């Protein structure tokens, strides 16, 4: 009966002389260690070797743990955690072989078992890299002379292959800088006095659970890798090895196009599209339970992952291309992406996937989605409220009969009560009450008051024109002699302007005339922000100025988000703002 878990402390010699044939599965990320990590491994080994030599006592140096999927008697071992370390150790063996030709045969045994040509045997490599790197790794690292060839290679390399060359170059230089006696001592120490804890289990999910407990680095395996392994395994079982390899390459293509982090985020959004509720278990478990195409793995890739990955790229980068409305769509997407939560993404993906060929509908949808999202942001809706709203919106988009018209999307509409709540929040103390929204709001307002097509600068901070702590004897205390009135205006929209950070630090809490000079002097003189330029036209900064400015600026946002309420339902705040 196969054991469910084994863990042993094993010397490097035991590990690399035949007990294991390590294979890096296709679902693993590319080799990613940098020269910093490879150099640290080499330096740690040298330091430990020298300490042992000085003390004269044999001591075992622990190199960490690896997690494998492995059956009892079969040496083949699929690496769940430890790819980076095992690959770098293999590279170090090759470097030492290159630096010590007299020990080449001994070291080669750690790289592969030589096959007997007379018997038609092939070499049995101790480590096989991911399929797309396996031949490169064999030729340039494991085979004799390969490491020197790799270091001398001037071809343009990318990703894992570039990391291999960079680390090989570093390790070879470090090894060749050592005296012969230190080289031999390092090799003997590495082979005989260094160990790894080898944890093996025959089950992928069990291996992943062990990995999750032992590691919090997140460097190697992620939930998307578990899903990938399971999906490709199902394709292999139902459609054959060739089909599985084809889809493994397609999966890698999609992941590389998006980037690993964004690809991982996409799976969370897909889960939410189907589950329509807060995640309560692991992503792997809930993806299996809720995503209906999971049991049809080819459909899962072709009809779910691939099309959603394409629209997710448009959504997160705000770079949709179309013959019309593309600029409008991307503008709304860019402002959605400034919000500090991403709960709006699932319905956005569903709508975009269905109506990608109808840009006019997309423009109308994302305009309304921006309004709903900023309403939830500004009114500080909790995560459960947000999830319920966006889940309801997703349900409204999904019916086959839905033609894309906004009239059927009731969730996108705001009631008069919600509009009043939105306007009141915009008219209030946004700096202290809405720390997660204030920058996005001021910049959204800036984008609306500037000329169309003018690029919006991003490297900004928010400046209080009326300072938060005005100095004694200043004009500020003369204009705002009532402390409560001063406090009520300090943190509202009318008193906040965007500045580049250099100008902000110089403005401080000067008197108004001097502060205006700080805003506009120096390189470029005029601030690139219209809201800030408006300050220059004022001779004084009094409550009267701020009342007019507040009404006008909140009115701009109110008009943009269509927050006018039905006649007869207007609050006193809205009455002061007008109907714009």
């Amino acid at each position: 009966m196969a054991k469910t878990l084994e863990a042993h402390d094993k010397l490097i010699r035991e590990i690399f002389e035949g007990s294991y044939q390590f294979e890096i599965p296709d679902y693993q990320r590319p080799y990613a260690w940098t020269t910093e990590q490879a150099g640290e491994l080499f330096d740690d080994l040298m330091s430990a070797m020298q300490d042992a030599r000085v003390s004269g006592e044999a001591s075992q140096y622990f190199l960490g743990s690896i997690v494998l999927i492995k059956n009892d008697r079969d040496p083949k071992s699929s690496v769940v955690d430890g790819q980076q370390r095992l690959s770098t150790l293999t590279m170090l063996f090759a470097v030492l072989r290159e630096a010590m030709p007299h020990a080449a045969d001994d070291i080669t045994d750690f790289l592969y078992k030589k096959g007997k040509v007379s018997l038609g045997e092939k070499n049995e490599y101790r480590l096989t890299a991911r399929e797309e790197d396996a031949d490169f790794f064999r030729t340039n690292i494991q085979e004799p002379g390969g490491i020197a060839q790799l270091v001398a290679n001037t071809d343009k390399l990318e990703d894992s292959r570039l990391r291999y060359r960079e680390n090989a170059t570093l390790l070879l230089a470090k090894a060749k800088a050592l005296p012969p006696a230190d080289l031999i001592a390092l090799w003997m120490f590495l082979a005989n006095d260094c160990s790894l804890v080898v944890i093996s289990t025959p089950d992928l999910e069990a291996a992943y659970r062990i990995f999750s407990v032992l590691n919090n680095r997140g460097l190697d395996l992620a939930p998307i890798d578990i899903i990938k392994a399971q999906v490709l395994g199902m394709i292999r079982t139902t459609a054959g090895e060739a089909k599985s390899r084809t889809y493994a390459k397609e999966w890698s293509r999609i992941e590389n196009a998006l980037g690993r982090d964004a690809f991982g985020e996409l799976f969370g959004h897909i889960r939410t599209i189907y589950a329509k509720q807060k995640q309560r278990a692991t992503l792997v478990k809930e993806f299996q339970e809720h995503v209906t195409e999971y049991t049809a793995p080819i459909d899962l890739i072709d009809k779910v992952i691939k099309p959603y990955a394409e629209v997710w790229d448009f959504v997160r980068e705000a770079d949709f291309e179309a013959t019309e409305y593309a600029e409008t769509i991307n503008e709304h997407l860019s402002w959605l992406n400034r919000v500090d939560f991403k709960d709006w993404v699932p319905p956005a993906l569903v709508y975009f996937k269905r109506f990608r060929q109808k840009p006019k509908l997309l423009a109308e949808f994302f305009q309304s989605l921006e309004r709903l999202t900023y309403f939830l942001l500004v009114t500080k809706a909790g995560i459960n409220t947000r999830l319920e709203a966006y889940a309801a919106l997703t349900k409204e988009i999904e019916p086959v009969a839905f033609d894309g018209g906004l009239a059927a999307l009731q969730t996108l509409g705001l009631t008069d009560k919600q509009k009043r709540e939105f306007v009141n929040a915009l008219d209030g103390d946004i700096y202290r009450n809405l720390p997660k929204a204030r920058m996005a709001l001021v910049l959204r307002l800036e984008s609306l008051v500037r000329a169309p097509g003018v690029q919006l600068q991003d490297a900004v901070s928010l400046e209080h024109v009326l300072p938060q702590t005005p100095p004694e004897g200043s004009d500020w205390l003369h204009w705002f002699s009532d402390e409560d009135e001063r406090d009520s205006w300090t943190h509202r929209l009318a008193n906040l302007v965007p500045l580049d950070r250099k100008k902000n630090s110089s403005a401080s809490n000067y008197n108004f005339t001097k502060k205006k000079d700080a805003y506009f002097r120096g390189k470029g003189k005029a601030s690139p922000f219209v809201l800030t330029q408006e300050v220059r036209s004022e001779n004084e900064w009094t409550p009267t100025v701020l009342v007019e400015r507040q009404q006008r600026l909140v009115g701009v946002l109110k008009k943009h988000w269509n927050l006018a309420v039905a006649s007869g339902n207007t609050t006193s705040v809205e009455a002061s703002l007008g109907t714009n």
Side-chain angles (χ1 to χ4, degrees):
M1 181 178 174
K3 297 177 182 177
T4 57
L5 172 68
E6 287 188 351
H8 300 287
D9 187 3
K10 290 185 174 287
L11 294 174
I12 294 299
R13 180 175 291 282
E14 296 176 283
I15 293 171
F16 282 94
E17 279 195 326
S19 298
Y20 300 89
Q21 283 180 270
F22 299 111
E23 296 178 349
I24 309 300
D26 289 340
Y27 58 78
Q28 286 281 19
R29 67 183 298 198
Y31 177 73
W33 265 20
T34 65
T35 52
E36 179 181 358
Q37 291 153 312
E40 184 179 354
L41 174 66
F42 187 95
D43 294 343
D44 286 349
L45 285 168
M46 283 298 301
S47 178
M49 180 269 289
Q50 290 166 348
D51 288 346
R53 190 160 57 179
V54 169
S55 68
E57 298 179 1
S59 61
Q60 198 165 304
Y61 183 68
F62 178 56
L63 286 169
S65 61
I66 57 176
V67 180
L68 312 173
I69 301 170
K70 183 180 182 299
N71 293 319
D72 288 345
R73 294 185 176 85
D74 189 350
K76 289 185 177 179
S77 310
S78 184
V79 179
V80 175
D81 178 38
Q83 174 198 180
Q84 312 295 328
R85 190 178 295 108
L86 291 171
S87 299
T88 309
L89 284 171
T90 299
M91 207 177 305
L92 181 55
F93 298 150
V95 161
L96 293 173
R97 180 178 61 183
E98 180 68 24
M100 297 190 297
H102 59 281
D105 288 343
D106 187 15
I107 300 173
T108 294
D109 284 342
F110 283 58
L111 295 166
Y112 58 84
K113 177 186 175 184
K114 294 179 182 178
K116 294 181 180 179
V117 177
S118 61
L119 299 177
E121 294 177 346
K122 295 182 179 180
N123 295 337
E124 293 180 3
Y125 293 89
R126 308 303 188 194
L127 174 68
T128 299
R130 294 193 321 156
E131 182 190 5
E132 57 196 82
D133 292 323
D135 289 341
F136 184 91
F137 193 79
R138 258 186 231 111
T139 301
N140 293 281
I141 293 171
Q142 291 165 304
E143 292 291 346
I147 205 84
Q149 175 181 300
L150 176 60
V151 169
N153 187 337
T154 58
D155 294 342
K156 182 180 179 180
L157 301 177
E158 296 180 345
D159 300 326
S160 53
R161 299 184 182 195
L162 177 60
R163 302 287 91 74
Y164 290 145
R165 183 172 65 190
E166 290 173 341
N167 290 340
T169 302
L170 174 76
L171 294 173
L172 187 59
K174 282 180 172 289
K176 287 189 171 181
L178 296 176
D182 282 356
L183 267 177
I184 295 170
L186 175 60
W187 166 236
M188 294 179 65
F189 177 76
L190 179 58
N192 301 302
D193 297 310
C194 294
S195 67
L196 286 165
V197 169
V198 181
I199 302 168
S200 58
T201 174
D203 177 73
L204 175 62
E205 287 200 35
Y208 175 61
R209 285 195 297 271
I210 295 165
F211 163 75
S212 299
V213 170
L214 292 176
N215 298 271
N216 58 11
R217 304 185 311 274
L219 291 178
D220 285 357
L221 204 62
I224 55 173
D225 301 316
I226 299 295
I227 295 170
K228 178 181 180 182
Q230 294 170 338
V231 168
L232 295 180
M234 287 189 284
I235 294 175
R236 187 178 298 111
T237 299
T238 58
E241 185 69 31
K243 202 77 167 177
S244 176
R245 289 186 183 280
T246 298
Y247 276 92
K249 290 178 180 177
E250 178 66 3
W251 187 294
S252 295
R253 183 195 65 77
I254 297 169
E255 181 176 351
N256 292 336
L258 282 177
R260 186 169 173 83
D261 290 343
F263 193 52
E265 290 173 19
L266 173 63
F267 277 73
H269 295 317
I270 291 174
R271 182 219 70 89
T272 302
I273 288 169
Y274 284 82
K276 298 179 179 66
Q277 62 185 24
K278 185 188 293 186
Q279 186 174 319
R280 295 181 173 86
T282 65
L283 176 60
V284 173
K285 188 174 188 300
E286 292 210 1
F287 200 90
Q288 293 169 340
E289 290 178 355
H290 295 290
V291 180
T292 52
E293 287 86 353
Y294 185 81
T295 55
I298 290 178
D299 283 349
L300 175 67
I301 295 175
D302 288 342
K303 298 179 180 180
V304 179
I305 295 173
K306 184 177 178 180
Y308 275 131
E310 290 176 357
V311 296
W312 172 223
D313 203 26
F314 296 141
V315 166
R316 71 190 185 91
E317 296 292 343
D319 64 353
F320 179 61
E321 294 183 1
T323 55
E324 56 181 352
Y325 297 105
E327 185 176 345
T328 301
I329 293 166
N330 290 330
E331 181 184 13
H332 293 307
L333 287 172
S334 70
W335 290 105
L336 282 163
N337 278 304
R338 289 175 186 266
V339 175
D340 75 322
F341 55 79
K342 290 291 182 283
D343 308 318
W344 57 270
V345 171
L349 294 180
V350 175
Y351 193 94
F352 214 131
K353 179 171 174 280
R354 285 198 65 179
F355 302 103
R356 179 174 171 178
Q357 304 304 324
K358 297 182 178 181
K360 184 175 186 295
L361 288 179
L362 289 174
E364 293 170 353
F365 173 80
F366 283 111
Q367 180 179 19
S368 294
L369 185 63
E370 180 196 320
R371 179 177 74 160
L372 173 64
T373 299
Y374 274 79
F375 164 72
L376 295 170
L377 174 69
V378 168
T379 57
K380 298 193 284 189
I383 183 171
N384 290 328
T385 300
R386 298 198 308 263
L387 288 175
E388 288 172 7
Y390 291 120
L393 178 57
T394 302
K395 287 179 182 178
E396 292 171 348
I397 298 169
E398 288 177 332
V400 175
F402 175 58
D403 63 2
L406 298 193
L409 303 180
Q410 297 182 11
T411 306
L412 283 180
L414 296 184
T415 66
D416 283 352
K417 179 182 178 183
Q418 289 172 323
K419 290 178 181 179
R420 286 193 290 270
E421 188 180 358
F422 198 172
V423 172
N424 285 335
L426 293 173
D427 190 48
D429 185 336
I430 68 164
Y431 192 85
R432 289 183 299 198
N433 291 344
L434 304 173
K436 293 182 178 180
R438 62 196 184 199
M439 181 62 78
L441 284 174
V442 172
L443 289 180
R444 189 57 175 127
L445 183 58
E446 170 70 25
S447 73
L448 294 170
V449 298
R450 61 177 43 218
V454 177
Q455 188 68 30
L456 180 69
Q457 180 176 325
D458 254 348
V460 300
S461 60
L462 292 183
E463 170 71 6
H464 294 77
V465 182
L466 163 62
Q468 298 182 69
T469 54
E472 291 293 331
S474 65
D475 289 341
W476 306 115
L477 295 183
H478 171 68
W479 290 331
F480 296 87
S481 57
D482 184 279
E483 186 175 347
D484 290 338
E485 183 182 40
R486 185 172 73 244
D487 183 68
S488 73
W489 279 113
T490 301
H491 304 291
R492 293 167 76 181
L493 268 178
N495 192 52
L496 299 173
V497 294
L499 291 176
D500 65 59
R501 290 187 173 89
K502 291 180 181 177
K503 288 187 182 294
N504 184 39
S505 62
S506 67
S508 186
N509 58 352
Y510 298 151
N511 268 324
F512 186 56
T513 301
K514 189 174 183 181
K515 176 169 272 197
K516 284 197 298 181
D517 184 41
Y519 284 162
F520 300 112
R521 72 182 177 214
K523 263 191 178 179
K525 294 187 178 179
S527 165
F529 302 103
V530 173
L531 292 174
T532 312
Q533 292 172 18
E534 290 176 352
V535 178
R536 183 171 54 175
S537 65
E538 302 292 344
N539 295 320
E540 54 185 17
W541 200 254
T542 63
T544 301
V545 171
L546 287 173
V547 167
E548 184 281 326
R549 182 175 169 86
Q550 182 76 1
Q551 290 178 353
R552 177 170 56 85
L553 295 183
V554 175
V556 170
L557 291 174
K558 182 182 174 185
K559 180 179 181 180
H560 171 66
W561 282 319
N562 188 21
L563 300 179
V565 299
S567 178
N569 293 331
T570 309
T571 65
S572 58
V573 173
E574 289 171 308
S576 71
L577 294 173
T579 57
N580 292 331

